Structure formats: structure tokens, C-alpha cells
């Protein structure tokens, strides 16, 4: 298969390398920054381009791997009668943004990827959607050569997956940072929490998170909760987060 990669960032790098490793031919890598295009293109044995007008119309697959805000800009500049399948890689962008292409779809990895960190895509879930059932099936079979956990889903399901990933990944990470800052203020190391962080992550690999919830909110330990709130009065934004999460834990307990 011949492929054009539109983008040179995290997802573009990982997907481009994965397809290249499988023997697919990457024809071009596009980036507005030619140096970035060249950096990835040199790894993929592809041509580097910095204007969409240079995009070939001979590829079998066009992968739009840019920020969500830039997808429309790229779509608007691509020829509308491309014979290859045009896909984007966004979790939050509806497939309809590509609807004026003859063949189109979505390849969304439910994983936070960084181009400078080697990551195996073998077991990363890829949410696959196609403009029609034949295209969806073609994309699914293609992506299952990269990840056995690739699966079909529609745009609403993909948006839900993206939101869930934000809660599980982005929001948990900012809570780690709050914990880090609380400890730092008391001259304590975040290393003290690393065992419990790992234990929590390991538990939810096999159990429903609600079933392994612990802590004063689960016990409805009002005395301890009040002590925590008093400690946090000097940082009202943290206090508000603590209150909201405590209320959510108690609500879950009684559902």
C-alpha cells in the first residue's frame, strides 16, 4: 500500500513507522515546517513536503495526523476526488468532516503517544470507523496488522472513548501533580506514593474501579475528611477538587 502522512508529530511518527515496518511505502510526509517533514520523511524513506498542493493523488491511503484544530484546514486544501482513503486520527472529531471525499474513515489510537518515546502499538486499541462498511472493514483489517486490539466504533462511541481517556489519563495525571506539590511543600518525596499509584493501576487491570475504591470517602469518615478540608483551606482550588471527588465517591458507593 502507498501512503501519504499529513503531519509530523506524535501520532504521525508512530503510525508512519508502524506502516513502514510492515513494508508499506510512505510516499510523502507533509508538515508546514519543512524541517519537521524532512526529519520524519528521512526515517520513512519518503519525500518531505511543506505545502499540501504538493500532495500526490496516487496514494492508496492519506493519514491526516495533525491537531484537531488543523484537520479542517488540511481537509479544505486536499483535492476532493482523491481515489485513496482519507482518514484522520482524532478522538473528538466527527467522521463527517471527511464526507466529501469518495473514501474516508478514522484511525484513532486510545493512547497518549510521544514521538521521542519508543512505544509498541501491538496492544494499543485503535478505534476504526469508515464512511461505508466496506471502507471500515478494509481499515480494520489493515490496522489489525499493527494492533490486534483494533476495533470498529462510530463517532459517538469514539468521542466517549476520548472523554474517558481524558478522565483516566489527563485528569489522573494532574491529580498526581497535586499530590506531588502537597508533598513537596512538606519536604516529602513523591516517591513515597509510587507504590500506591502502581497498586491502584494494577487493580483496575482486572477489576471494576468502583469495586476497589478505598479511602475516607468510601468509609464516609467525616472526621478525616474534615481534617483534609481544613488542611486544604490555603489552596481553595485544591479544596474544591477534593470536595467534588469526595462527593462523587460517596455517590458511587450508594448507586
Amino acid at each position: 500500500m502507498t501512503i501519504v502522512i499529513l503531519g509530523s508529530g506524535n501520532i504521525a511518527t508512530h503510525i508512519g513507522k508502524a506502516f513502514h515496518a510492515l513494508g508499506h511505502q510512505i510516499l510523502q510526509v507533509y508538515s508546514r515546517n519543512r524541517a519537521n517533514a524532512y526529519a520524519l520523511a528521512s526515517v520513512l524513506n519518503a519525500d518531505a513536503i511543506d505545502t499540501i498542493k504538493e500532495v500526490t493523488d496516487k496514494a492508496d491511503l492519506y493519514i491526516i495526523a495533525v491537531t484537531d484544530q488543523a484537520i479542517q484546514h488540511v481537509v479544505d486544501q486536499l483535492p476532493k476526488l482523491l481515489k485513496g482513503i482519507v482518514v484522520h486520527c482524532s478522538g473528538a472529531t466527527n467522521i463527517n468532516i471527511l464526507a466529501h471525499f469518495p473514501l474516508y474513515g478514522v484511525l484513532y489510537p486510545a493512547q497518549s503517544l510521544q514521538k521521542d518515546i519508543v512505544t509498541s502499538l501491538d496492544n494499543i486499541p485503535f478505534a476504526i470507523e469508515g464512511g461505508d462498511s466496506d471502507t471500515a472493514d478494509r481499515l480494520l483489517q489493515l490496522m489489525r496488522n499493527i494492533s490486534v486490539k483494533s476495533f470498529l466504533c462510530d463517532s459517538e462511541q469514539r468521542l466517549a472513548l476520548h472523554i474517558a481517556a481524558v478522565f483516566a489519563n489527563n485528569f489522573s495525571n494532574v491529580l498526581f501533580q497535586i499530590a506531588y506539590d502537597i508533598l513537596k511543600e512538606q519536604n516529602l518525596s513523591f516517591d513515597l506514593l509510587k507504590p500506591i499509584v502502581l497498586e491502584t493501576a494494577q487493580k483496575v487491570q482486572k477489576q471494576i474501579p468502583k469495586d476497589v475504591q478505598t479511602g475516607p470517602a468510601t468509609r464516609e469518615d467525616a472526621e478525616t475528611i474534615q481534617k483534609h478540608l481544613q488542611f486544604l483551606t490555603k489552596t481553595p482550588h485544591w479544596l474544591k477538587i477534593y470536595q467534588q471527588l469526595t462527593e462523587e465517591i460517596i455517590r458511587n458507593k450508594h448507586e
Side-chain angles (χ1 to χ4, degrees):
M1 175 173 281
T2 54
I3 299 171
V4 171
I5 307 288
L6 296 138
S8 60
N10 297 322
I11 295 178
T13 297
H14 282 281
I15 288 184
K17 287 181 177 179
F19 278 119
H20 182 65
L22 288 173
H24 297 287
Q25 183 183 4
I26 313 300
L27 298 178
Q28 296 171 317
V29 173
Y30 159 78
S31 174
R32 290 181 300 173
N33 184 313
R34 193 170 186 84
N36 291 343
Y38 181 79
L40 180 56
S42 63
V43 174
L44 303 179
N45 194 29
D47 292 331
I49 59 174
D50 59 4
T51 62
I52 295 180
K53 291 181 180 179
E54 297 178 80
V55 170
T56 178
D57 62 357
K58 305 299 183 185
D60 300 312
L61 179 65
Y62 297 83
I63 302 175
I64 302 173
V66 297
T67 64
D68 287 12
Q69 296 79 11
I71 292 174
Q72 186 69 64
H73 176 71
V74 172
V75 167
D76 289 343
Q77 293 186 77
L78 284 172
K80 301 302 183 285
L81 297 178
L82 290 172
K83 295 180 180 179
I85 304 173
V86 181
V87 302
H88 70 63
C89 302
S90 167
T93 305
N94 195 287
I95 192 174
N96 291 337
I97 198 171
L98 306 174
H100 60 246
F101 296 109
L103 300 171
Y104 58 96
V106 179
L107 313 175
Y108 165 61
Q111 176 70 20
S112 180
L113 298 170
Q114 292 180 257
K115 63 181 179 180
D116 55 348
I117 297 178
V118 176
T119 303
S120 173
L121 303 185
D122 294 353
N123 289 302
I124 290 176
F126 276 83
I128 309 301
E129 187 174 6
D132 57 65
S133 59
D134 287 343
T135 302
D137 288 341
R138 287 175 63 188
L139 291 173
L140 180 63
Q141 294 307 312
L142 178 68
M143 290 307 299
R144 279 187 172 164
N145 291 319
I146 290 177
S147 170
V148 295
K149 291 191 175 180
S150 297
F151 66 101
L152 294 176
C153 78
D154 61 30
S155 287
E156 185 173 3
Q157 291 173 317
R158 179 162 39 82
L159 178 59
L161 176 60
H162 190 260
I163 294 169
V166 168
F167 272 96
N169 180 34
N170 306 136
F171 290 172
S172 65
N173 192 65
V174 78
L175 293 177
F176 294 153
Q177 184 61 46
I178 291 173
Y180 176 96
D181 292 338
I182 289 171
L183 292 174
K184 185 178 180 181
E185 287 182 357
Q186 299 297 320
N187 296 313
L188 294 170
S189 171
F190 185 68
D191 288 348
L192 296 170
L193 293 184
K194 289 181 179 178
I196 199 171
V197 168
L198 287 175
E199 180 190 21
T200 302
Q202 289 167 352
K203 283 179 179 178
V204 298
Q205 301 303 310
K206 296 182 179 180
Q207 301 179 73
I208 297 172
K210 178 180 177 180
D211 293 343
V212 294
Q213 184 72 59
T214 61
T218 296
R219 300 190 301 271
E220 297 189 63
D221 180 351
E223 183 177 349
T224 298
I225 291 171
Q226 190 56 44
K227 289 178 181 178
H228 291 176
L229 293 173
Q230 182 61 37
F231 181 90
L232 292 170
T233 54
K234 57 187 176 184
T235 48
H237 51 294
W238 291 351
L239 186 147
K240 184 177 180 180
I241 293 170
Y242 185 101
Q243 287 176 316
Q244 290 179 325
L245 292 179
T246 295
E247 291 169 3
E248 181 64 14
I249 291 170
I250 293 173
R251 185 191 66 78
N252 269 331
K253 176 183 177 181
H254 292 289
E255 273 193 342

